């Protein structure tokens, strides 16, 4: 079994006929603009000023980003100057792993608060909420992590006597007492992503030959669906949005190399979005039509390149191209509805820096949209003039 801590690493008159022809042309123009990757350009923003510390961007939601600097959870508002420590009082170590609206989830430990055990935590975004945390740690466990959040729901994993000391996927609704063990019988499992009433992650057991299988749940252990396609033997689902899930898998169909995968709710409804030129790739985040993750090139397999997609392998963008030339390693772990990507990068792995890649619409896409808007405005003015 290969489960790991997740904190590690969209009648005709001539005038009417002309209007419909123009309208059709405008629709074609808009459709053609939609085929252009809307976010093929990015501006990289470092979220810390120190080169000799380790900082990691873990998740992004609108104007906020979360992660950690060294051993402390941090919240950003799009710049290094906005960094705010959000470690609650009484904790010696915290990591923020997920954010959605006004809720942050992660993990923390402290001598007086958790007896130095790692506990899943839930806390707020606003300044008055940093210390108003909820300890989600389930009864009968000794270690837990809240990895992801969607609205009032949180998910992750826990282990201890109650789980036979195996990792079990868990779901919470704002309190430790609400904890639901999602683990399928005979498995060890973790939740890595959540959207509404859908949870995704991975699990392994004798039935999977101890290899990880991508899993999907709807709030209970009995609802589990194995997303692992035929020809894929080792897989994980990392995030969910709407009816889609993103992750990675390897097997005979991928020449035993990990490929980023995009599912639509079942094992036989998936797309391989592995970009050309890469040896391996991993999908780690999804939000609307945007996905993010990382990949490895064959000529330098020890160093990753952060990647962003818009649903197809052809849309993949190497985000490392927007970093300084001396940066050799980068990974992406979050993406929001605007296409902004969060992660971290390093020149040589001696230290990592949290990075926000801000999506910039391509000029070509803007030009087409502006042209269509101008044409539509002219058409409306012509219609009003004829009516007068």
């Amino acid at each position: 079994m290969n489960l790991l801590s997740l904190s590690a690493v969209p009648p005709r008159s001539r005038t009417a006929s002309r209007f419909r022809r123009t309208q059709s042309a405008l629709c074609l123009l808009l459709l053609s603009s939609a085929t252009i990757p809307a976010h093929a350009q990015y501006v990289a923003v470092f979220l810390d000023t120190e080169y000799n510390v380790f900082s990691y961007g873990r998740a992004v939601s609108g104007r906020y980003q979360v992660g950690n600097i060294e051993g402390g959870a941090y919240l950003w508002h799009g710049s290094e100057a906005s960094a705010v420590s959000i470690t609650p009082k009484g904790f010696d170590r915290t990591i923020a792993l997920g954010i959605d609206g006004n809720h942050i989830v992660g993990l923390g430990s402290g001598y007086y608060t958790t007896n130095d055990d790692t506990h899943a935590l839930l806390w707020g975004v606003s300044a008055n909420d940093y210390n108003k945390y909820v300890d989600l740690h389930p009864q009968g466990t000794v270690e837990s992590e809240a990895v992801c959040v969607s609205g009032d729901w949180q998910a992750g994993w826990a282990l201890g006597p109650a789980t036979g000391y195996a990792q079990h996927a868990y779901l919470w609704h704002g309190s430790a007492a609400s904890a639901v063990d999602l683990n399928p019988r005979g498995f060890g499992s973790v939740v890595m992503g959540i959207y509404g009433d859908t949870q995704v992650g991975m699990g392994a057991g004798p039935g999977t030959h101890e290899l990880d299988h991508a899993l999907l749940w709807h709030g209970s252990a009995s609802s589990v669906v194995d997303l692992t396609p035929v020809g894929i033997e080792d897989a994980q689902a990392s995030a969910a949005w709407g009816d889609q899930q993103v992750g990675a898998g390897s097997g005979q169909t991928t020449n035993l190399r990990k490929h980023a995968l995009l599912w639509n709710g079942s094992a036989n409804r998936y797309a391989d979005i592995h970009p050309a030129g890469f040896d391996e790739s991993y999908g780690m985040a999804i939000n609307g039509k945007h996905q993010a993750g990382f990949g490895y090139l064959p000529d330098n397999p020890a160093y990753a390149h952060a990647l962003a997609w818009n649903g197809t392998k052809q849309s993949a963008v190497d985000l490392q191209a927007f970093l300084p030339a001396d940066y050799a390693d980068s990974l992406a772990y979050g993406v929001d509805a605007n296409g902004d990507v969060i992660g971290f990068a390093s020149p040589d792995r001696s230290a990592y820096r949290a990075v926000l890649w801000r999506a910039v619409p391509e000029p070509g896409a803007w030009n087409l949209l502006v042209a269509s808007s101008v044409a539509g405005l002219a058409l409306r003015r012509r219609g009003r003039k004829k009516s007068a």
Side-chain angles (χ1 to χ4, degrees):
M1 192 165 76
N2 194 35
L3 303 179
L4 299 173
S5 169
L6 299 178
S7 61
V9 62
R12 298 183 181 177
S13 65
R14 289 186 178 181
T15 301
S17 178
R18 186 182 299 113
F19 174 82
R20 290 186 173 88
R21 286 198 300 271
T22 307
Q23 188 180 44
S24 298
L26 286 173
C27 289
L28 288 173
L29 183 60
L30 286 169
L31 287 172
S32 67
S33 69
T35 64
I36 296 176
H39 294 135
Q41 297 295 318
Y42 294 80
V43 174
V45 178
F46 288 107
L47 297 178
D48 71 75
T49 57
E50 299 291 338
Y51 288 89
N52 58 346
V53 300
F54 286 83
S55 66
Y56 302 91
R58 302 284 187 172
V60 56
S61 178
R63 59 181 179 164
Y64 293 112
Q65 306 85 39
V66 295
N68 61 291
I69 299 178
E70 295 293 337
Y74 270 77
L75 174 73
W76 294 278
H77 191 180
S79 69
E80 60 188 19
S82 67
V84 176
S85 172
I86 56 172
T87 296
K89 292 179 181 178
F91 285 86
D92 304 317
R93 171 180 172 265
T94 55
I95 298 175
L97 294 173
I99 183 171
D100 180 39
N102 294 318
H103 299 98
I104 299 169
V105 295
L107 58 101
S109 63
Y111 180 78
Y112 294 106
T113 51
T114 71
N115 196 30
D116 282 336
D117 294 326
T118 298
H119 282 203
L121 299 181
L122 166 69
W123 64 102
V125 171
S126 70
N128 293 328
D129 291 337
Y130 296 158
N131 288 304
K132 297 177 182 178
Y133 71 92
V134 177
D135 190 331
L136 297 175
H137 191 66
Q139 185 175 2
T141 65
V142 295
E143 187 174 357
S144 61
E145 292 186 10
V147 178
C148 48
V149 57
S150 178
D152 294 328
W153 294 92
Q154 309 85 38
W157 63 269
L159 64 82
T163 71
Y165 289 96
Q167 283 182 299
H168 279 201
Y170 266 83
L171 175 68
W172 295 273
H173 193 229
S175 68
S178 69
V180 176
D181 189 333
L182 297 177
N183 191 65
R185 180 172 295 182
F187 275 70
S189 60
V190 299
V191 176
M192 300 177 68
I194 185 172
Y195 179 80
D197 67 347
T198 299
Q199 305 86 42
V200 296
M202 59 184 175
T208 70
H209 304 288
E210 303 299 337
L211 296 173
D212 291 330
H213 274 207
L215 301 178
L216 178 150
W217 297 266
H218 290 290
S220 67
S222 61
S223 68
V224 68
V225 174
D226 192 333
L227 294 176
T228 309
V230 174
I232 299 291
E233 289 129 27
D234 191 353
Q236 68 183 56
S238 303
W241 184 269
D243 296 328
Q244 292 189 321
Q245 306 83 39
V246 71
S250 62
Q252 297 301 318
T253 58
T254 68
N255 197 28
L256 303 183
R257 299 293 186 179
K258 278 288 173 68
H259 281 198
L261 303 178
L262 184 63
W263 288 272
N264 280 90
S266 66
N268 61 355
R269 297 179 62 199
Y270 80 100
D272 186 330
I273 59 172
H274 178 72
F278 279 80
D279 192 43
E280 291 194 317
S281 60
Y282 296 77
M284 299 303 297
I286 185 170
N287 198 319
K289 64 180 181 179
H290 309 290
Q291 304 87 39
F294 51 88
Y296 295 88
L297 292 168
D299 60 346
N300 196 1
Y303 288 83
H305 283 216
L307 296 170
W309 294 267
N310 286 320
T312 65
K313 63 177 65 180
Q314 294 83 5
S315 67
V317 177
D318 187 342
L319 296 176
Q320 195 152 297
F322 304 97
L323 295 173
D326 62 331
Y327 273 68
D329 196 41
S330 60
L331 301 96
Y333 276 84
V335 62
D336 68 9
N338 297 319
D340 294 342
V341 177
I342 189 77
F344 43 93
S346 174
D348 55 11
R349 289 185 173 175
S350 62
Y352 279 94
R353 302 182 70 190
V355 182
L356 175 65
W357 285 273
R358 287 197 176 278
V360 179
E362 282 195 305
W366 274 112
N367 291 340
L368 284 171
L369 289 171
V370 170
S372 65
S373 299
V374 170
L377 181 60
L379 185 62
R380 289 193 296 271
R381 286 177 175 172
R382 182 182 301 176
R384 287 198 297 269
K385 187 175 181 180
K386 286 183 178 290
S387 298

